[in-house]
Structures are given as C-alpha cells and as structure tokens.
C-alpha cells in the first residue's frame, strides 16, 4: 500500500460511524432497557420497522433522522438487502445508526444477517438485547412458559413455514410437557395444527393466541389445537401462538388490564371456538 493509499484508508476509518442493534422489546415502553434508551438518545439515525411501538418512537430525540423500513408478513416495503444497504451507507457517512427492532434482534429478527453485512466494510457494531416477544407477551397474558406441573421445556419456532418446512423437527415439537411459541404464525395456523396432530399431539391440547401483546390493545384468545385455525382467522398481527397446557393458567394468573378486559375476551373467544357465536 502506498503512502497516499494509507492516508486515504486512515481517513476513511476515521469517518466511519457505528451501527447499534437494539431490541425494543414487545411494545410496552416500560420494558425498554436502560441501555436501549441511552443508545436511542445518542443516535444520529434510527432505522426501525413496524413492530416498534409508537410510544417507543416518541422517545427518540428530534435530532435523529428516522428511517422506516416497515416489515410485515407478505409485505416488505424495504427488502432485507435494502435494509442492509441503508445501514452500511449511513455508517459510512460517519453516523451513529441505531437499528431498532421489536423484541430481541437475535430471535427471529435477522439481526445476525444485518451485522454480517457490515463486516466487509469494517463497520463497528454493538448489540443491545431486548425482551423477546415470547417472554414479554406471555408474561402480560398470565401464561408462564414453563411450570413444574405443565412444561419442563419451551421452544420458540418461526411461523414462516413455506421455505423451512423440511427443517423443522415436528416430532420434537409434538412431545408432551413442552410449550411451543410460534412467531409470525397466524397465516400458517392450519399447517401448524396439521403437522402437530400428524406427529401425535392431541387435538385437545390447550393453546392461546396473544394479539398485540403488552399493549393497551392486547387480546388473549384461548383455543385448542383443534380450533387454532378458526380462532387465528379472527386474530390480527402482530400475534404469537402459544401451544401447551400452560395456556390454561391465563384465566387465573392474568394481571395486566388492557382496554378490553381479559376475562371478557376469554369468554368471548371460548364461545367462538365452541361454535356458539360469531366474534364481535
């Protein structure tokens, strides 16, 4: 390397910014970590998606440039390659870039892929974990994911099954004394039911859908594996599917009081599952 090239390389290194991958948690701003809030306060640019709540967005200083890359099932307004490019371009401009993701960035958040995109450019990065949706939404729904009388293990599973169908060990998922949490699984609820039943899980296995968990619009929709597809048709994303006997504890362990009461919702969805009424 010539002297001029060395100087150019040093100048480039001195102007490179940083990317901070931050987990925003499941939605309630009170669940944002202290470090996550501190990183937001330092950001020049915040790249965020649909799963970050408006309450958390309002915590970002006005000086920061907000870039929305809103991803939702079947509709990515900015493809993943485009998101990676935004992170690289902004960091190469010398910006402190916060990539803000719902939940935890390393649990079905493609956080690892985004950091790998930075490596060829020697862009420094940091990761701030967040409360993953499974833990946060289950807790706010009164569903302990493990319980000595119900489940000795818990598994987090992606609901994007079309391209990953053969990679999932359904026989492992169908075993007893286990809690399953499906992320992004509403549209695949029928396939989930069929696969689990085909591998020996009882159609009567209790389940629940937690819709918009930890927010004031949270709903907990009880069902069984047999009625999962029916109830999922009435649910809205973002939502988690929880399968296992621990879901039966929701009606007595609920503590969070969103705008629509849990008990009212529980009674209503039980009636829908039993075919006694239409959802309102």
């Amino acid at each position: 390397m010539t002297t001029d090239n060395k100087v150019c390389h040093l100048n480039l290194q001195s102007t490179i910014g940083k990317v901070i991958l931050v987990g925003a948690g499941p939605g309630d701003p009170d669940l944002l970590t202290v470090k996550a809030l501190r990183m937001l306060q330092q950001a020049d640019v915040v790249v965020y998606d649909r799963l970050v709540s408006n309450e958390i967005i309002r915590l970002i200083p006005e000086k920061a440039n907000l870039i929305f890359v809103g991803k939702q099932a079947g509709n990515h307004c900015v493809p993943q390659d485009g998101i990676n490019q935004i992170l690289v371009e902004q960091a190469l401009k010398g910006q402190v870039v916060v990539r803000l993701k719902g939940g935890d960035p390393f649990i079905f958040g493609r956080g690892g892929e985004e950091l790998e995109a930075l490596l060829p450019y020697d862009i420094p990065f940091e990761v701030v974990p967040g409360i993953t949706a499974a833990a946060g939404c289950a807790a706010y729904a009164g569903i302990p994911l493990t319980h000595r009388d119900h489940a000795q293990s818990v598994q987090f599973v992606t609901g994007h099954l079309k391209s990953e169908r053969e990679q999932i060990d359904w026989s492992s998922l169908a075993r007893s004394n286990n809690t399953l949490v499906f992320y992004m699984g509403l549209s695949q609820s029928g396939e989930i039911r069929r696969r689990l039943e085909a591998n020996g899980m009882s159609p009567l296995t209790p389940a629940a859908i937690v819709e918009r968990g930890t927010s004031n619009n949270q709903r907990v929709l009880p069902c069984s594996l047999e009625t999962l597809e029916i109830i999922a048709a009435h649910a809205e994303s973002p939502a988690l599917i929880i399968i296992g006997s621990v879901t039966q504890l929701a009606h007595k362990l609920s503590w969070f009081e969103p705008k629509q009461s849990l008990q009212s919702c529980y009674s209503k969805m039980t009636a829908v599952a039993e075919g006694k009424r239409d959802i309102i």
Side-chain angles (χ1 to χ4, degrees), residues 35-164:
K35 186 170 185 178
L37 180 59
R38 180 158 53 85
M39 295 299 100
L40 288 176
Q41 298 299 313
Q42 298 174 7
D44 298 313
V45 178
V46 177
V47 181
Y48 70 103
D49 54 40
R50 186 182 66 99
L51 294 179
V52 179
S53 67
N54 291 331
E55 292 84 356
I56 290 176
I57 294 300
R58 285 195 285 268
L59 297 174
I60 301 172
E62 292 185 4
K63 69 178 180 67
N65 178 26
L66 301 183
I67 301 178
F68 177 64
V69 292
K71 298 169 67 175
Q72 64 185 78
N75 180 24
H76 292 186
C77 72
V78 180
Q80 188 61 53
D81 287 346
I83 296 172
N84 296 347
Q85 183 176 356
I86 290 170
L87 298 179
V88 169
E89 290 178 350
Q90 293 298 321
L92 291 178
K93 291 178 181 178
Q95 303 292 293
V96 175
V97 184
V98 166
R99 174 63 171 113
L100 189 61
K101 292 174 169 286
D104 181 271
F106 277 2
I107 299 181
F108 303 127
R110 293 193 171 183
E113 297 173 40
E114 293 178 0
L115 294 186
E116 286 182 311
L118 308 177
L119 297 179
Y121 303 91
D122 293 326
I123 295 171
F125 56 82
E126 187 173 342
V127 180
V128 180
I131 295 176
T132 188
C137 297
Y140 272 51
I143 299 173
L145 294 178
T146 63
H147 188 291
R148 287 193 299 173
D149 295 333
H150 294 270
Q152 286 69 54
S153 63
V154 58
Q155 292 177 270
F156 300 164
V157 190
T158 175
H160 288 170
L161 304 178
K162 290 183 178 179
S163 62
E164 302 175 25

